[in-house]
Amino acid sequence: MPELTFVGKSIIKIDALGKVTGKTKYASEEGLGVPGMLYGKVLSSPHAHAKILNIDTSKASRVKGVRAILTGKDAPEHRSGILIDDRHVLCHERARFIGDTVAAVAAGSIEAAEEAVELIKVEYEVLPAIFDPEEAMKPDCPVILHPDLQNYNRPAYGYLGFDLPGPNAHTHHKVRKGNVEKGFQEADVIIENRFQNDRIIHCQLEPFNSVCYPESDGSLTLWTSARLMISLNNLVRDFNIPRSKLRVRTSYLGGMYGLKGRTERFAILMALKTGRPVKMVYTREECFIDGYNRLPKIIYIKDGVKRDGTIVAREIKVIVNSGGYTDYAPLTIRNGAFHASQYRLPNYKWDAYGVYTNEPSCGPLRGFGNAEVLWATEQQMDIAAEKLGIDPCEFRLRNTVDEGEIDVRGQRVHCIGAKECLNKVAKCIEWGKPSIQSSKKHIKVGKGIALGNKYSLGDTASSAMVKVNLDGSIEVYHGGDDCGQGLNTVMAQIAAEEFQVPMDKIKIIFGDSARVPYDYGTASSRSTLYIGNAVLLACKRAKRMTFELAAKKLNTAPENIDIRGGKLFVISDPQKTLDLSELALGKSPEATGLVKWATCLEEGAGIFGSASFWGRTDPEDPETGQGERLSMSVAYGAQAAEVAVDIETGLVKILRMCSVFDNGKSMNPKMCEAQIEGGAALGIGSALYEGFIFNDKGKLLNPNLHDYKICSAINVPSGDNMKTGMVEYPHREGPYGAKGVGEAAMTPTAPAIANAIYNATGARVFHMPMTPERILQAIRQSKNSHAPTRK
Amino acid sequence: MKREIEIKVNGITQDLVVDPWWSLARALREGLGLTGTKISCESGDCGACTVLIDGKAVKSCLYPVMKAKNKDIITIEGLHDEQGQLHPLQEAFIQYFAVQCGYCTPGMIMVAKALLDENPKPTEEQVKEYLTGNLCRCTGYTKIIEAVLAVANKTQESS
């Protein structure tokens, strides 16, 4: 590959200046102080399961400034969803969790809307509720959340619904390989455990918000803090409106990590009803209660291993409590099986069930099903290694798949740096060298390691347009989302590289569905690969047009033209040059006034290129979950942690952490580092602090950042104690060999910490988050509270 | 029941019509259009709304606007110098890739300024302690801490 000028360099983020000066406008700034703006507020169900018998809005409607009160009757008749159409915009007849949205008020001030919401009288018939997914899954469960489930539309459901065990089960995903029973017979050691994780939530610092403007032609313009194209795709289905009638606009997103949104549909509903612009902001509490939290899972796992250190069989049953509605749950449940991409598993059986309960609805969160399963499997690896008397890192290395092997799902492994990642983190954390113990007897120090991975989804497309302006500056249009990861910077780097012009000549146009070409959107660590390819190809096409025009002017063939520093030149005679701006302007740059513009039209101006990139994948066999190509790329990575555990209080301090991931090619190494550090912090939070706490009625008790703790600066190692690295095995389809790494970054974190806690204390915690209470309980249960010594 | 108050923000004294129950954060954003101050939790837990009041870092979502009379308030928009040059912290946050989604960034920079004004030579641990009330979900804090320490070290070199 030729020397690169912009790609692969740690170029300053193009959005950083606006953000450090406070000038960047987010969706939350849209519509502030606009005269005539209405403000929306929703009323949510106080019951986990209830029939809505009657809604009396008479008192509420008398509040000064109230313009509309909407209930299920005013919302679209049909249900919609992502994989199963199971949710109304506002509840029809039934509420399925505490926080389910029952009514919405639009008023001239937020205070009036809040007052009116308080005055809406809803008559409920409280129904029995169910919170335990294992109970809910039973065929004879007396509580049925969606009695009409059989008749629901399933727009993208495919192979996810066979052999459902009971009326509340909505998903069953299977993977079969070899014969696990035979495998277990061959095994020398069998390890069986049950793991569990609680709900966690993204806690994007920017709260969910949106503004909907009705336009004079009957269309709508929606500003949202959520993703651009994904919002558009979902909202046109919610409201049965043509895509041309809904223009979605976004800015930089104030955090994402999986999914954002909810307020959009209420803003649209109220704007349609009132014909007025409506601003709808969720409070932090509402973001917790009606956000999309990570799916809590119960994981039963049985591994069979041989004395020689090979895994012969793995059987997993996962029960996923998806709450009242499914949203992305069926896909998240299915994708948990990709955890198995990293090891050689000759016999494998996976059954994952998605179950409705009367808890809040779930959605994707960084790791999309994979991280929670890896939390279990990567602890199993350590348990097995100990039983076999093999070093856990060595045990992983022996079982890790290599380039070109067929993985457990039937895919040929490509672009894998897993072993190098493991070796690098092992070296970094001084693996094999026992931790230096504290002089305090109650502080135990230990190390842990884990391997993780995250696939990127296939069967989606991205497209891009590139325009060379008259002055030689370049506009790149894309439909992805920059949620801080730096997508716009990387796309600008690609355009700068292709045209060999400085970064400040590139302008990124994004966040407007009326201006950008189609894209599936930012999700699943797909943007660098998909959107990057679309931008790269669009640049190449625009460049081809540029070279053809330049060739005419310079009397040579297009193949004999190249560009450097914004100047086109003849390869065989580099003295012959033409500035990109001269070319873009037309043939007579000396001409003035109207003549100048006329020549532009005649020749030169209007240089553009557009391109799409489609990532093909195959459908999987519904009985076996097998397919030759099920994901577009997989990022692998390892993390090692050293922790100090206070065995009297159960408190854990992460002393240091090493993380190494394979990303194909670091498009911007500092930004890759930043993704990995951020992923590790989210991973630490999920491992130790974060979890929804409900009372026995299904009420969330910690819907705020005080009682639901995310990592603050003191909880995360920094400086020399937070090491990150990348290994680069080019991906054959990635732009410059790159693939996404953002999601993978948190997949090994929690199990690495769990393994370190075990190494320090001899206590294994099977329930995440590993709170002090759970750690103390595990210490009490472990017969030997002394740290096992590593051989 | 609107009230008019006189408020001094970023060196400029001006009259502002507010509802007396407004927080300072809301008044800055909705009354003065100074939207660099972010609102995120409205319970004082995240620090996205941090501004300086008489030199001290304050969470403006919990600070009643009516209390802001006769106070000297500095927001992220007022951090550059008279020539419009960025504050060294703003520069360092850019150079050290301490910015991702950017929603916590203004508050983070304001609290870091309060720290360095109070203690120009903090240790890494002191920086972490001081930033504890300001949450960031993107960065894992590593690069933020690096940026703050870089400014502190530079100040030490030049002094």
Side-chain angles (χ1 to χ4, degrees):
Chain A
M1 194 176 273
E3 185 72 16
L4 296 170
T5 317
F6 300 96
V7 164
K9 307 282 189 263
S10 290
I11 287 173
I12 294 300
K13 289 183 79 191
I14 60 175
D15 50 328
L17 179 62
K19 289 173 175 176
V20 300
T21 51
K23 286 182 180 155
T24 299
K25 296 273 186 269
Y26 297 78
S28 31
E29 273 80 67
E30 182 58 34
L32 275 186
V34 170
M37 179 67 69
L38 300 182
Y39 299 87
K41 185 83 190 166
V42 289
L43 173 70
S44 60
S45 170
H47 305 293
H49 201 188
K51 266 193 186 151
I52 299 163
L53 301 178
N54 185 44
I55 302 179
D56 176 2
T57 60
S58 54
K59 258 194 182 164
S61 62
R62 287 198 288 271
V63 173
K64 193 173 142 195
V66 167
R67 299 294 293 258
I69 302 176
L70 300 150
T71 68
K73 283 193 293 237
D74 307 292
E77 270 293 314
H78 66 283
R79 297 180 178 85
S80 54
I82 308 292
L83 289 107
I84 303 173
D85 286 343
D86 61 3
R87 192 170 192 180
H88 286 109
V89 169
L90 287 170
C91 290
H92 276 217
E93 293 162 11
R94 192 191 282 242
R96 294 180 174 86
F97 67 92
I98 294 181
D100 207 353
T101 38
V102 172
V105 174
S109 71
I110 187 66
E111 289 78 12
E114 283 170 354
E115 190 185 340
V117 158
E118 294 287 315
L119 293 170
I120 298 174
K121 289 273 169 282
V122 186
E123 198 183 324
Y124 293 101
E125 178 193 332
V126 178
L127 301 171
I130 184 108
F131 307 111
D132 180 341
E134 293 186 277
E135 288 299 317
M137 196 169 84
K138 288 180 178 163
D140 56 349
C141 177
V143 179
I144 300 173
L145 271 88
H146 293 267
D148 205 22
L149 175 62
Q150 294 307 317
N151 300 320
Y152 286 2
N153 181 39
R154 293 162 191 244
Y157 192 61
Y159 36 79
L160 296 166
F162 300 94
D163 312 326
L164 296 172
N168 289 316
H170 52 72
T171 299
H172 176 195
H173 178 245
K174 291 191 269 194
V175 181
R176 300 286 183 267
K177 190 193 176 194
N179 180 338
V180 282
E181 291 313 321
K182 198 168 140 269
F184 288 130
Q185 280 164 19
E186 289 167 18
D188 297 313
V189 180
I190 304 271
I191 301 127
E192 262 188 285
N193 283 304
R194 180 189 191 268
F195 293 85
Q196 197 174 346
N197 68 280
D198 292 346
R199 283 158 194 274
I200 65 168
I201 199 156
H202 316 77
C203 298
Q204 302 95 345
L205 270 260
E206 181 189 22
F208 303 173
N209 68 85
S210 49
V211 184
C212 186
Y213 296 95
E215 302 291 353
S216 56
D217 63 356
S219 68
L220 299 170
T221 298
L222 177 84
W223 275 90
T224 171
S225 62
R227 286 173 292 178
L228 183 76
M229 287 298 183
I230 288 175
S231 298
L232 177 64
N233 291 343
N234 296 341
L235 292 167
V236 293
R237 292 195 68 242
D238 285 350
F239 289 93
N240 258 339
I241 45 176
R243 295 175 81 91
S244 57
K245 293 280 185 193
L246 179 63
R247 177 185 186 183
V248 180
R249 303 199 65 181
T250 58
S251 173
Y252 285 95
L253 309 187
M256 211 256 290
Y257 331 109
L259 195 70
K260 237 178 153 178
R262 278 301 290 159
T263 58
E264 298 73 23
R265 52 210 80 199
F266 309 124
I268 289 175
L269 193 61
M270 292 186 277
L272 285 171
K273 184 81 176 176
T274 61
R276 299 275 297 273
V278 179
K279 187 169 172 69
M280 176 79 212
V281 182
Y282 259 12
T283 61
R284 181 55 53 187
E285 185 174 347
E286 287 167 325
C287 291
F288 269 94
I289 293 169
D290 192 30
Y292 298 90
N293 43 79
R294 185 168 86 174
L295 295 156
K297 291 181 165 138
I298 296 167
I299 301 171
Y300 292 95
I301 177 165
K302 181 177 173 184
D303 284 338
V305 293
K306 289 177 84 157
R307 288 263 165 250
D308 65 4
T310 52
I311 310 169
V312 282
R314 171 170 286 171
E315 183 175 1
I316 301 189
K317 180 177 155 186
V318 185
I319 298 156
V320 180
N321 172 352
S322 74
Y325 304 96
T326 48
D327 193 66
Y328 279 91
L331 197 59
T332 321
I333 291 161
R334 173 241 182 189
N335 288 5
F338 283 119
H339 80 92
S341 313
Q342 61 196 31
Y343 296 127
R344 231 166 268 129
L345 301 166
N347 302 293
Y348 182 75
K349 187 176 178 214
W350 157 278
D351 289 276
Y353 299 92
V355 187
Y356 287 118
T357 70
N358 294 109
E359 287 190 355
S361 186
C362 296
L365 189 150
R366 205 172 189 168
F368 204 82
N370 232 15
E372 309 92 281
V373 182
L374 283 159
W375 138 263
T377 56
E378 282 299 291
Q379 290 202 70
Q380 285 283 107
M381 293 300 282
D382 265 39
I383 297 168
E386 190 184 20
K387 289 203 192 278
L388 296 172
I390 303 173
D391 173 85
C393 185
E394 172 58 28
F395 181 56
R396 284 179 174 81
L397 286 167
R398 277 191 212 176
N399 288 287
T400 300
V401 290
D402 287 311
E403 180 80 21
E405 269 186 69
I406 303 295
D407 79 3
V408 71
R409 306 291 301 276
Q411 309 187 90
R412 193 171 292 281
V413 174
H414 171 59
C415 184
I416 180 165
K419 287 183 178 172
E420 194 180 336
C421 293
L422 272 170
N423 283 324
K424 285 200 158 157
V425 297
K427 190 170 176 217
C428 168
I429 204 99
E430 302 165 284
W431 190 254
K433 190 173 150 197
S435 293
I436 297 161
Q437 292 300 325
S438 163
S439 57
K440 294 174 189 149
K441 281 250 177 323
H442 59 100
I443 305 290
K444 304 287 181 196
V445 185
K447 296 176 191 176
I449 198 165
L451 182 65
N453 75 76
K454 175 67 178 58
Y455 63 88
S456 179
L457 90 170
D459 254 2
T460 57
S462 287
S463 33
M465 298 193 302
V466 172
K467 189 171 97 186
V468 180
N469 289 326
L470 296 183
D471 58 359
S473 63
I474 291 164
E475 287 173 9
V476 176
Y477 295 70
H478 73 76
D481 305 282
D482 195 321
C483 43
Q485 85 281 39
L487 177 62
N488 283 353
T489 304
V490 170
M491 295 308 115
Q493 285 177 263
I494 292 175
E497 188 68 55
E498 286 305 306
F499 281 94
Q500 289 295 307
V501 295
M503 285 289 284
D504 63 10
K505 290 272 188 200
I506 312 287
K507 166 88 176 163
I508 304 289
I509 313 288
F510 72 111
D512 184 348
S513 68
R515 287 206 287 169
V516 300
Y518 176 78
D519 204 299
Y520 177 82
T522 291
S524 194
S525 294
R526 70 185 287 283
S527 298
T528 296
L529 197 155
Y530 280 83
I531 308 176
N533 269 323
V535 169
L536 180 59
L537 194 54
C539 284
K540 286 194 188 300
R541 287 183 178 160
K543 218 165 89 174
R544 175 75 201 172
M545 196 168 166
T546 308
F547 286 12
E548 279 169 4
L549 285 165
K552 267 204 253 173
K553 295 204 169 199
L554 297 166
N555 292 320
T556 184
E559 295 70 29
N560 198 22
I561 301 282
D562 206 348
I563 184 165
R564 196 175 301 135
K567 260 197 185 347
L568 295 144
F569 63 95
V570 178
I571 295 170
S572 59
D573 183 5
Q575 300 306 315
K576 288 173 82 176
T577 65
L578 181 62
D579 201 81
L580 184 57
S581 62
E582 281 177 69
L583 179 78
L585 199 54
K587 73 175 175 184
S588 309
E590 314 79 25
T592 54
L594 285 176
V595 178
K596 183 169 169 177
W597 302 114
T599 55
C600 291
L601 292 174
E602 184 190 318
E603 185 186 336
I607 300 173
F608 63 90
S610 68
S612 290
F613 179 82
W614 162 252
R616 181 190 65 81
T617 49
D618 297 333
E620 63 184 72
D621 183 307
E623 283 305 318
T624 64
Q626 298 286 319
E628 281 179 25
R629 196 178 147 106
L630 301 175
S631 55
M632 195 57 206
S633 63
V634 186
Y636 300 86
Q639 278 171 331
E642 184 163 32
V643 305
V645 186
D646 185 328
I647 57 167
E648 290 175 353
T649 62
L651 288 168
V652 176
K653 186 172 171 61
I654 314 277
L655 300 176
R656 55 186 176 133
M657 190 154 228
C658 303
S659 313
V660 180
F661 286 81
D662 69 1
N663 57 5
K665 163 86 188 167
S666 303
M667 301 295 279
N668 183 316
K670 278 283 165 196
M671 281 174 13
C672 291
E673 260 182 45
Q675 279 299 297
I676 296 171
E677 288 161 2
L682 220 158
I684 292 169
S686 72
L688 298 176
Y689 312 118
E690 300 180 34
F692 276 18
I693 302 167
F694 294 99
N695 71 5
D696 63 351
K697 301 278 189 287
K699 185 177 165 63
L700 180 61
L701 299 176
N702 57 343
N704 58 66
L705 291 168
H706 189 76
D707 300 313
Y708 179 101
K709 289 282 183 213
I710 69 171
C711 282
S712 78
I714 51 166
N715 303 120
V716 182
S718 55
D720 285 342
N721 295 321
M722 189 67 158
K723 288 261 170 57
T724 53
M726 280 83 70
V727 301
E728 298 184 346
Y729 293 81
H731 193 283
R732 63 183 161 234
E733 283 161 290
Y736 307 93
K739 60 183 179 182
V741 75
E743 285 198 274
M746 77 176 274
T747 59
T749 319
I753 293 168
N755 290 336
I757 290 172
Y758 178 80
N759 182 247
T761 63
R764 193 157 285 285
V765 190
F766 295 91
H767 196 157
M768 175 158 67
M770 297 178 282
T771 55
E773 297 78 18
R774 286 175 185 156
I775 289 172
L776 288 178
Q777 195 185 9
I779 289 171
R780 275 196 300 274
Q781 281 167 357
S782 70
K783 294 200 172 72
N784 175 12
S785 63
H786 300 292
T789 47
R790 198 182 298 288
K791 289 185 190 84
Chain B
M1 222 172 327
K2 297 273 184 196
R3 294 277 292 276
E4 189 176 281
I5 63 161
E6 193 180 274
I7 188 167
K8 187 182 174 195
V9 182
N10 300 331
I12 301 166
T13 304
Q14 51 195 307
D15 292 330
L16 179 64
V17 177
V18 298
D19 283 316
W21 60 81
W22 277 15
S23 67
L24 175 59
R26 187 167 174 185
L28 291 169
R29 288 171 59 82
E30 292 181 28
L32 297 173
L34 295 173
T35 54
T37 299
K38 299 299 177 197
I39 291 182
S40 174
C41 72
E42 293 190 89
S43 56
D45 291 309
C46 80
C49 62
T50 306
V51 299
L52 299 185
I53 300 181
D54 293 339
K56 298 275 179 231
V58 171
K59 289 173 178 174
S60 63
C61 76
L62 294 183
Y63 196 89
V65 67
M66 300 310 286
K67 240 179 100 179
K69 279 185 287 188
N70 306 319
K71 299 280 197 299
D72 191 5
I73 298 156
I74 306 288
T75 71
I76 190 73
E77 289 91 346
L79 211 53
H80 55 76
D81 70 12
E82 280 153 25
Q83 284 77 46
Q85 287 292 309
L86 294 184
H87 187 276
L89 277 164
Q90 291 172 309
E91 199 60 62
F93 269 60
I94 296 174
Q95 296 299 329
Y96 284 82
F97 290 79
V99 180
Q100 286 193 36
C101 90
Y103 214 76
C104 75
T105 305
M108 206 58 95
I109 290 175
M110 297 315 284
V111 77
K113 176 169 165 47
L115 163 68
L116 296 184
D117 288 348
E118 196 177 303
N119 175 6
K121 299 177 183 182
T123 63
E124 187 174 322
E125 280 311 305
Q126 285 170 329
V127 172
K128 291 172 83 160
E129 285 287 342
Y130 208 92
L131 299 187
T132 297
N134 286 60
L135 298 176
C136 168
R137 194 61 153 167
C138 296
T139 64
Y141 306 96
T142 320
K143 297 202 180 326
I144 293 174
I145 296 160
E146 256 183 80
V148 177
L149 286 170
V151 175
N153 291 335
K154 226 182 218 165
T155 320
Q156 285 175 45
E157 278 162 27
S158 57
S159 61

